[in-house]
Amino acid sequence: MKTEINAQTVKKLRDETGAGMMNCKKALAENNGDYEKAIEFLKLKGMATADKKASRNTNEGIIYAYIHTGSKLGILIEVNCETDFVARRPEFVEVAKNLAMQIASNPEIEVISYSDISQETKDEAAKFESSKEDLQNKPEEIREKIVEGRVEKSLKKQVLLEQEYIRDPNVTVNEYLKQVIGVLGENIQITRFVRYVLGETAQ
């Protein structure tokens, strides 16, 4: 379905994706005015941009504090970018807020990326999965592949970047972050976070 490329359509696309006005016009023009295809175009462009910027230093950013309704759960998160100019933009603050809310929504999240999970934890999970009865009669090579798949699936529940993004379950948090990088034009990294739950004390 073709949509006329007018100022209202461009503004609507900009509001929905956060992309710049010129990028929105280009996305609509290259997709013959098809609004849905333009959104997909901008998402893919953002992800491609993110991959190119992944090696850039991120020495600026913010520490954001999110207190969940009821004041019994709090998240402190550090999100970094390349320049102080981007760190001060409301869109960047919104990213930090969204990430903090993501962590608050799932008590299983413990690490940022899969590589942050210790080898010891992976080995323990593999040992647990290997001992399950349904695998005992399978050939060793097949058993190893099944165990590997199950370990990855279970441990990814702890990984922030692997979660379905709470505001759009069609993308992961990692894909959401790549879209934002495409819009803001800088590399963005989640450096660390701490979850505070009322009544809990550090062991």
Side-chain angles (χ1 to χ4, degrees):
M1 180 179 164
K2 289 189 177 182
T3 308
E4 186 186 348
I5 303 173
N6 54 36
Q8 280 183 316
T9 307
V10 174
K11 184 180 184 303
K12 184 184 174 188
L13 185 61
R14 187 184 186 188
D15 290 343
E16 187 166 339
T17 64
M21 193 71 80
M22 293 308 294
N23 283 337
C24 288
K25 282 184 180 178
K26 184 181 178 185
L28 286 162
E30 292 201 10
N31 290 280
N32 298 317
D34 189 311
Y35 189 78
E36 295 303 321
K37 284 185 179 177
I39 289 176
E40 192 61 29
F41 175 87
L42 288 169
K43 283 183 179 179
L44 292 172
K45 185 176 183 293
M47 289 179 190
T49 303
D51 290 338
K52 288 179 185 175
K53 296 180 184 297
S55 61
R56 291 192 188 178
N57 290 332
T58 51
N59 299 320
E60 294 293 339
I62 59 172
I63 293 173
Y64 185 86
Y66 170 74
I67 307 299
H68 193 59
T69 307
S71 300
K72 294 184 178 180
L73 171 64
I75 307 295
L76 206 57
I77 185 169
E78 180 178 344
V79 185
N80 298 114
C81 56
E82 297 174 40
T83 65
D84 186 50
F85 171 74
V86 165
R88 292 198 306 268
R89 285 179 63 171
E91 297 96 328
F92 185 78
V93 178
E94 185 70 17
V95 171
K97 180 184 177 183
N98 289 340
L99 292 169
M101 289 174 68
Q102 184 83 37
I103 296 164
S105 73
N106 186 351
E108 288 190 77
I109 295 172
E110 293 181 13
V111 295
I112 295 164
S113 69
Y114 192 76
S115 61
D116 294 330
I117 298 175
S118 69
Q119 191 57 48
E120 184 183 356
T121 300
K122 291 175 184 175
D123 290 344
E124 283 178 10
K127 187 177 178 182
F128 173 73
E129 293 295 342
S130 297
S131 66
K132 289 188 174 176
E133 281 186 30
D134 65 331
L135 297 179
Q136 300 314 308
N137 295 323
K138 295 192 182 293
E140 186 177 347
E141 190 178 319
I142 293 174
R143 191 165 69 237
E144 284 178 4
K145 285 184 179 178
I146 294 173
V147 166
E148 189 179 322
R150 287 181 179 180
V151 166
E152 191 168 316
K153 186 179 179 183
S154 66
L155 292 182
K156 276 185 176 180
K157 294 175 183 176
Q158 303 175 17
V159 180
L160 173 59
L161 292 175
E162 299 290 345
Q163 306 304 304
E164 286 183 357
Y165 178 44
I166 52 173
R167 292 185 181 273
D168 182 0
N170 294 314
V171 297
T172 63
V173 172
N174 191 39
E175 288 166 341
Y176 159 67
L177 210 54
K178 285 185 175 184
Q179 290 171 16
V180 173
I181 290 169
V183 171
L184 296 181
E186 288 194 5
N187 189 19
I188 296 171
Q189 297 288 330
I190 307 163
T191 306
R192 53 185 168 167
F193 67 85
V194 183
R195 181 189 288 104
Y196 294 93
V197 179
L198 186 70
E200 271 190 0
T201 53
Q203 296 297 314

